[in-house]
Amino acid sequence: MSEGGLEKCELCDSPGGEVIWENAICRVVLVADADYPGFCRVILNRHLREMTDLPHKERMQLMTVVFAVESAVRRLYQPDKVNLASLGNMTPHVHWHLIPRWRDDRQFPQPIWAATQRASAATPRQLVEGRQLGDQIIAALRIT
Amino acid sequence: MSEGGLEKCELCDSPGGEVIWENAICRVVLVADADYPGFCRVILNRHLREMTDLPHKERMQLMTVVFAVESAVRRLYQPDKVNLASLGNMTPHVHWHLIPRWRDDRQFPQPIWAATQRASAATPRQLVEGRQLGDQIIAALRIT
């Protein structure tokens, strides 16, 4: 349930995926998507709609986590590109999508929300456990 | 031309739109899209591919501008939602899309890259000049 609101919010009511790292402000979940291994979401714990609804300090603390996840994903999965997005049209509770992209993935070079460009890549991507990714996030936060 | 690279980069070779605000690190351009008035891009001046290719300080300075633009756009256009995205699959030069969204816009609640959901809104959106938006960005940066 959103703070003080009557509408149900799935990111208030559930973790939103396999939690691989968390702190007081946010949690990082691994999205189960065979086409995009390493796809993570960084979800704000409290229910706010926009990044600019957050106080400056907390906003930057959240971005520090987003970029630590980007570093961890780049290190472990070595994607051709990383896509970052905070949309929330359907679930207006601040959360960041962090999507590793490959030149032969289903939608490249389109965003993953666009029409499919091709079948899944013939060569399966490297699979990494959530725990390994969590360890890399901790390592990336240490050197921030 | 990208720094030290042989490939042409349109965000190195051109401003990428009507520049409404700039500093040493980046520029803000207004995107001419009748469906999404207030659609801006925040473009890094130097040619880097990912946010984590930037040093921490510069990364946070760039995000401070992104959020100042979000504040300015919210104040002037009062959208139902703001979408933020750094993709760069086609133009791998760091730039942020900042897209004001309305419940009756062409793609809502889908991302703007997804299939069209309906015709353009019957009521035209408020139009704001680039100069007004630039002034609001300056005001938002003052209180950051």
Side-chain angles (χ1 to χ4, degrees), chain A residues 55-67:
Chain A
H56 176 78
K57 188 179 169 190
E58 199 175 330
R59 197 187 298 161
M60 290 311 184
Q61 287 171 331
L62 181 65
M63 293 316 298
T64 297
V65 174
V66 171
F67 297 129

Side-chain angles (χ1 to χ4, degrees), chain B residues 56-114:
Chain B
H56 177 78
K57 188 179 169 190
E58 199 175 331
R59 198 186 297 161
M60 290 312 184
Q61 287 170 331
L62 181 66
M63 293 316 297
T64 296
V65 175
V66 171
F67 297 129
V69 179
E70 179 178 298
S71 292
V73 166
R74 289 180 74 184
R75 181 175 291 263
L76 285 178
Y77 297 87
Q78 303 185 3
D80 295 320
K81 190 69 195 68
V82 175
N83 290 177
L84 301 175
S86 169
L87 308 174
N89 304 327
M90 288 198 247
T91 307
H93 173 135
V94 169
H95 60 284
W96 283 88
H97 303 272
L98 191 146
I99 312 145
R101 302 299 308 274
W102 286 270
R103 287 190 189 88
D104 63 351
D105 74 32
R106 283 173 72 87
Q107 272 97 0
F108 202 87
Q110 296 300 320
I112 66 160
W113 305 281

Side-chain angles (χ1 to χ4, degrees), chain A residues 14-89:
Chain A
S14 74
E18 179 198 345
V19 177
I20 57 170
W21 184 89
E22 62 189 317
N23 69 1
I25 294 174
C26 64
R27 57 195 185 267
V28 181
V29 305
L30 192 54
V31 177
D33 186 327
D35 287 316
Y36 299 105
F39 186 164
C40 293
R41 292 195 184 104
V42 182
I43 304 169
L44 186 70
N45 287 336
R46 61 189 181 128
H47 185 86
L48 290 174
R49 174 178 289 263
E50 307 286 5
M51 283 301 292
T52 46
D53 290 335
L54 280 163
H56 176 78
K57 188 179 169 190
E58 199 175 330
R59 197 187 298 161
M60 290 311 184
Q61 287 171 331
L62 181 65
M63 293 316 298
T64 297
V65 174
V66 171
F67 297 129
V69 178
E70 178 177 299
S71 292
V73 166
R74 289 181 74 185
R75 180 176 291 263
L76 284 178
Y77 296 88
Q78 303 185 3
D80 296 320
K81 189 71 195 68
V82 175
N83 290 178
L84 301 175
S86 168
L87 309 174
N89 304 326

